[in-house]
């Protein structure tokens, strides 16, 4: 995947392995600490916040790989769309990292390599 170098790939493989320990991409995102959590106490619900849990090294690896992938057109377009929606820089990066986890999970599940999306021709 664009933005994932040798060191980051090694970190992901150490922590995730072949991905068989995770039922869905959401489980992998929660393990990495990139899934939002709802803070509530009794009847008070305070909405979605970034998680403080998860594997800190894996979360950092995904965050840095996401930041490096902003030079790719697909990643930049998604990041810019999130910024236009009103998200701050870090929130847009976390949203992009979460999307990249979905792709990585599908790659591990299917045993395929990264295939960049091809533009549709009319």
């Amino acid at each position: 995947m664009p933005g994932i170098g040798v060191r980051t790939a090694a970190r992901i493989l150490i922590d995730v392995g072949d991905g068989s320990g995770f039922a869905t991409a959401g489980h992998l995102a929660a393990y990495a600490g990139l899934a939002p959590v709802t803070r509530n106490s009794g009847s008070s619900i305070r909405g979605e916040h970034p998680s403080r849990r998860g594997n800190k090294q894996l979360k950092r690896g995904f965050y840095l790989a996401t930041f490096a992938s902003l030079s790719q057109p697909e990643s930049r377009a998604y990041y810019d769309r999130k910024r236009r929606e009103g998200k701050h820089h870090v929130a847009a990066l976390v949203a992009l990292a979460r999307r990249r986890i979905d792709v990585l999970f599908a790659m591990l599940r299917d045993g395929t390599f990264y295939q960049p999306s091809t533009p549709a021709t009319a």
Side-chain angles (χ1 to χ4, degrees):
M1 285 181 77
I4 296 181
V6 175
R7 290 173 60 185
T8 307
R11 175 85 265 161
I12 292 170
L13 286 176
I14 288 169
D15 292 329
V16 176
D18 64 354
S20 62
F22 303 99
T24 64
H27 287 108
L28 176 57
Y31 175 73
L34 291 170
V37 295
T38 303
R39 295 193 184 143
N40 55 6
S41 174
S43 63
S44 176
I45 300 174
R46 295 192 173 86
E48 302 291 323
H49 298 280
S51 175
R52 292 185 182 163
R53 295 182 175 189
N55 186 321
K56 305 260 188 271
Q57 293 174 332
L58 185 59
K59 183 176 186 177
R60 179 174 168 74
F62 274 116
Y63 182 82
L64 292 175
T66 299
F67 195 75
S69 76
L70 287 178
S71 62
Q72 301 297 317
E74 299 89 9
S75 295
R76 175 54 79 167
Y78 185 81
Y79 170 82
D80 290 339
R81 188 174 87 217
K82 290 297 175 182
R83 288 301 305 247
R84 281 192 304 274
E85 290 174 6
K87 291 192 181 294
H88 292 283
H89 169 71
V90 173
L93 281 179
V94 169
L96 179 57
R98 176 63 173 88
R99 183 176 178 131
R100 290 171 57 86
I101 283 180
D102 292 343
V103 173
L104 178 72
F105 180 79
M107 288 169 46
L108 291 171
R109 180 194 63 214
D110 301 338
T112 59
F113 293 109
Y114 177 77
Q115 296 291 327
S117 63
T118 56
T121 57

